Amino acid sequence: MLREKPILYIVIPCYNEEEVLPVTAPMFKAKIESLVASGLIDDGSRILFVNDGSRDRTWEVLTELCASDPVFTAIKLSRNRGHQNALLAGLMEAKDLADITISIDCDGQDDIDAMDEMVRAYNDGCEIVYGVRSDRSSDSFFKRSTAQGYYKILNALGGEVIYNHADYRLVSSRVLNELANYKEVNLFLRGMFPMIGFKSTCVEYSRHERLAGKSKYPLSKMLTLAFDGITSFSVKPIRIITGLGALTVVLSLVLIIYALVSWATGHVVPGWSSSFIGTTLIGGIQLISLGVIGEYVGKIYMETKGRPRYIVEERTWSNTDGGESGEKM
Ligand code: UDP
Ligand code: MG
């Protein structure tokens, strides 16, 4: 299938990125220009930054960029909502303006030269093109091993995620219109796109070090995203608990028989250690189980509120339409 030249929007969430933006923004601009020059995309293509409630001069840097060149556009969220929500905000803005979007971090870690192949894959009929890291050598040993273990666990639990794919991907506006129907507030975008379906493919790229600034994903945020990923896509942890419960019941039946036999044969006093071990073990399992169930109850609580996932405070282009502000989309 041969498609018309698409309008591309590169969607880039930014949180406290004043240091890296002056370095990477010209790179993204050059990429758009080269894609236009090679006839892959329409010259109405743009870069859309999402300022995720930065506390530094990020918004000033972005507005200066937008004033300097029409290829840059930006929106400002009313406060920090986290990477996933910021990305969703950008994608929802772009879905009515573009034919295709590519989401990427603003720190230059993901190789922008993979975009050519992504657009070509779209021209060949793919609606989603996942950027997949070919190696993880730029990561610390800790991040590398935890990330790989995590992908394995998530897939074993039934969540469908693409191995070594983060949020660097091309998505067509057609897919984004479907994504708009997914109203969940516990967002894990990389797990949602495979669920939407359509023809998709993967493009490999190598990941570099951050060009400037520090990671905005401390361990705590990474763990939150990891838990959200599991509990938003799988009820297996609850099933595992049920299984553990059944196992504990069987084990305690054996213990009861043992206790009765000991009682009948007169060996009752030395039972203290075994009963102590039993109660503590079961107490621990019960607490963990309550925690996991509580995790899901908490999610239901947040979902039933149906609060907006982000609020757009400002756009650098004139758009009188109030957008999603104040409404859950
Ligand atoms: N980010 C964001 N909101 C946040 C945290 C991060 O928009 O609350 C953006 C950040 O500016 C960057 C991207 O998400 O463009 C990925 O963050 P980072 O590079 O710090 O994560 P890492 O690559 O270290 O996992
Ligand atoms: Mg990064």
Side-chain angles (χ1 to χ4, degrees):
M1 170 164 73
L2 201 63
R3 308 201 189 203
E4 297 228 328
K5 261 192 231 173
I7 295 179
L8 165 70
Y9 267 58
I10 302 180
V11 178
I12 310 172
C14 310
Y15 176 57
N16 295 347
E17 300 284 14
E18 60 178 7
E19 283 167 60
V20 83
L21 277 171
V23 185
T24 51
M27 291 166 51
F28 291 121
K29 179 181 164 202
K31 185 82 246 173
I32 290 263
E33 282 165 356
S34 91
L35 286 169
V36 171
S38 54
L40 280 172
I41 57 170
D42 190 273
D43 60 5
S45 299
R46 296 277 179 270
I47 296 157
L48 172 60
F49 293 105
V50 181
N51 176 29
D52 184 20
S54 301
R55 288 185 180 81
D56 63 358
R57 288 191 66 258
T58 298
W59 183 242
E60 283 74 33
V61 174
L62 288 177
T63 44
E64 277 159 27
L65 280 171
C66 296
S68 74
D69 194 309
V71 79
F72 295 116
T73 60
I75 59 172
K76 180 185 179 194
L77 301 191
S78 60
R79 53 158 296 161
N80 180 247
R81 294 294 291 126
H83 175 228
Q84 297 288 298
N85 290 298
L87 184 53
L88 178 77
L91 293 176
M92 289 300 116
E93 288 290 316
K95 80 174 168 25
D96 305 322
L97 306 166
D99 301 308
I100 51 175
T101 59
I102 294 180
S103 50
I104 189 166
D105 295 348
C106 70
D107 55 13
Q109 281 191 283
D110 303 318
D111 181 15
I112 54 172
D113 290 331
M115 289 187 187
D116 301 65
E117 217 183 315
M118 288 182 168
V119 177
R120 268 189 226 110
Y122 167 79
N123 284 334
D124 288 341
C126 288
E127 301 287 336
I128 307 176
V129 186
Y130 300 100
V132 172
R133 300 171 61 169
S134 51
D135 73 298
R136 280 188 166 261
S137 49
S138 65
D139 274 351
S140 68
F141 173 75
F142 177 75
K143 190 153 185 172
R144 193 160 63 228
S145 42
T146 47
Q148 301 209 321
Y150 177 66
Y151 280 109
K152 291 202 175 113
I153 293 174
L154 192 48
N155 274 311
L157 290 176
E160 228 184 282
V161 280
I162 312 279
Y163 194 58
N164 269 348
H165 162 70
D167 281 303
Y168 183 22
R169 75 179 85 78
L170 178 148
V171 181
S172 70
S173 58
R174 185 174 174 195
V175 170
L176 290 177
N177 281 318
E178 299 303 331
L179 180 72
N181 295 326
Y182 288 67
K183 310 287 189 197
E184 59 220 69
V185 295
N186 295 289
L187 274 185
F188 189 64
L189 289 169
R190 69 191 73 165
M192 291 166 75
F193 285 105
M195 229 160 53
I196 294 175
F198 291 105
K199 188 172 174 199
S200 66
T201 188
C202 296
V203 164
E204 285 211 349
Y205 71 95
S206 57
R207 189 160 152 115
H208 318 294
E209 301 281 350
R210 211 172 218 283
L211 293 181
K214 283 200 210 70
S215 171
K216 309 299 179 298
Y217 254 102
L219 186 61
S220 59
K221 271 193 189 175
M222 244 167 65
L223 285 178
T224 309
L225 184 70
F227 277 124
D228 273 350
I230 291 177
T231 50
S232 301
F233 284 91
S234 171
V235 289
K236 273 205 187 153
I238 286 189
R239 302 242 171 87
I240 293 172
I241 285 171
T242 315
L244 269 181
L247 203 71
T248 319
V249 169
V250 173
L251 272 179
S252 60
L253 280 179
V254 176
L255 281 179
I256 286 170
I257 293 167
Y258 166 73
L260 284 177
V261 171
S262 310
W263 173 74
T265 52
H267 296 104
V268 268
V269 186
W272 182 81
S273 38
S274 56
S275 59
F276 178 75
I277 291 169
T279 24
T280 48
L281 182 69
I282 290 170
I285 292 175
Q286 279 180 332
L287 275 184
I288 294 173
S289 311
L290 277 179
V292 174
I293 293 165
E295 189 70 29
Y296 284 95
V297 174
K299 284 231 152 114
I300 298 169
Y301 175 61
M302 293 315 291
E303 295 291 349
T304 50
K305 283 190 208 253
R307 289 179 174 168
R309 294 174 284 186
Y310 58 85
I311 294 168
V312 179
E313 183 183 331
E314 218 175 309
R315 294 176 175 83
T316 57
W317 67 95
S318 50
N319 184 351
T320 44
D321 171 22
E324 289 74 28
S325 300
E327 110 186 49
K328 190 193 174 204
M329 358 136 0

